[in-house]
Amino acid sequence: MCPNEVFDSSILSHLDYTKSRVQYRDGLSPDNIPSDYVMRPLHKDDYSRSYCTLLTHLTKVGDVSRDMFEEQFDKMRDSGMHCILVLCHTPSNTIIGSATLLLEHKFIHSAANRGRIEDVVVHPDHQGKQFGKLLLDVLILLAEAKNCYKLSLDCNDKALPFYEKLSMEHQEGQRFMCIKFFD
């Protein structure tokens, strides 16, 4: 694995894109992305490609210096539990979309993994181009390749129809609970 990647990019070329659960328009698909975009793992130098600025379209980021970013990146890469997929707009050299697959290693289900989708965001200037759908489609295929027995996410009610289009289902009787230590 390249030390500049949060996860090994070679796995992306081995995914079976024929298993896609998504209908696209205008010829877009995981193996047919417009030529001015590149889908890949987060890179250590993506701090300079406005990655933290992109995340502000999702939530409060705070003051993250380059050193803080690189230290956190190293922890994520070294844990082997973070698959952060990004979409880079090559003409502007800017990260315009991102989604994260977190892996939780389990003893149950024959020592399989549980996957969680987190931090799905597409820059407002690039929304409506099916990029969120594309990132999630690839994360779903990646979760299967990473031996996940289950993949889940937390979302608000407004987002349910979007995730249902990706074959995700609301599980009756399941509730999300949390303790927030800070915003």
Side-chain angles (χ1 to χ4, degrees), residues 47 52 56 60-69:
Y47 181 87
C52 291
T56 66
K60 181 179 177 185
V61 174
D63 295 323
V64 178
S65 69
R66 178 181 293 276
D67 288 341
M68 290 167 67
F69 180 89

Side-chain angles (χ1 to χ4, degrees), residues 24-168:
Y24 294 97
R25 63 179 191 277
D26 302 326
L28 183 71
S29 70
D31 54 358
N32 188 31
I33 299 170
S35 62
D36 49 349
Y37 295 91
V38 174
M39 186 170 41
R40 59 168 174 75
L42 180 72
H43 287 180
K44 193 169 187 172
D45 57 354
D46 283 340
Y47 181 87
S48 63
R49 291 185 183 90
S50 303
Y51 183 70
C52 291
T53 301
L54 172 68
L55 293 177
T56 66
H57 297 285
L58 178 65
T59 191
K60 181 179 177 185
V61 174
D63 295 323
V64 178
S65 69
R66 178 181 293 276
D67 288 341
M68 290 167 67
F69 180 89
E70 290 179 359
E71 182 178 334
Q72 196 75 334
F73 178 94
D74 289 342
K75 289 177 190 176
M76 291 176 174
R77 180 200 58 223
D78 295 346
S79 77
M81 297 172 61
H82 295 79
C83 298
I84 304 174
L85 190 63
V86 300
L87 196 59
C88 184
H89 181 244
T90 52
S92 64
N93 198 28
T94 303
I95 304 299
I96 59 90
S98 180
T100 300
L101 169 64
L102 289 175
L103 299 171
E104 181 181 351
H105 306 294
K106 298 287 208 171
F107 290 111
I108 60 175
H109 298 282
S110 301
N113 295 315
R114 177 187 178 166
R116 296 179 190 269
I117 294 174
E118 295 281 343
D119 303 336
V120 179
V121 61
V122 174
H123 190 283
D125 292 346
H126 296 270
Q127 290 177 1
K129 299 177 183 178
Q130 306 180 92
F131 291 148
K133 186 190 299 187
L134 179 72
L135 288 163
L136 287 167
D137 190 17
V138 174
L139 278 191
I140 291 167
L141 295 170
L142 185 58
E144 188 175 12
K146 292 280 192 176
N147 194 36
C148 290
Y149 73 93
K150 175 167 68 172
L151 181 62
S152 62
L153 60 84
D154 301 317
C155 70
N156 59 39
D157 290 342
K158 188 176 90 174
L160 284 174
F162 173 74
Y163 291 111
E164 288 169 346
K165 289 178 187 174
L166 299 165
S167 300
M168 300 197 87

Side-chain angles (χ1 to χ4, degrees), residues 168-182:
M168 300 197 87
E169 300 174 353
H170 179 258
Q171 300 294 305
E172 282 301 318
Q174 297 294 314
R175 298 290 179 251
F176 171 71
M177 301 181 73
C178 74
I179 297 173
K180 285 185 117 179
F181 295 103
F182 55 85

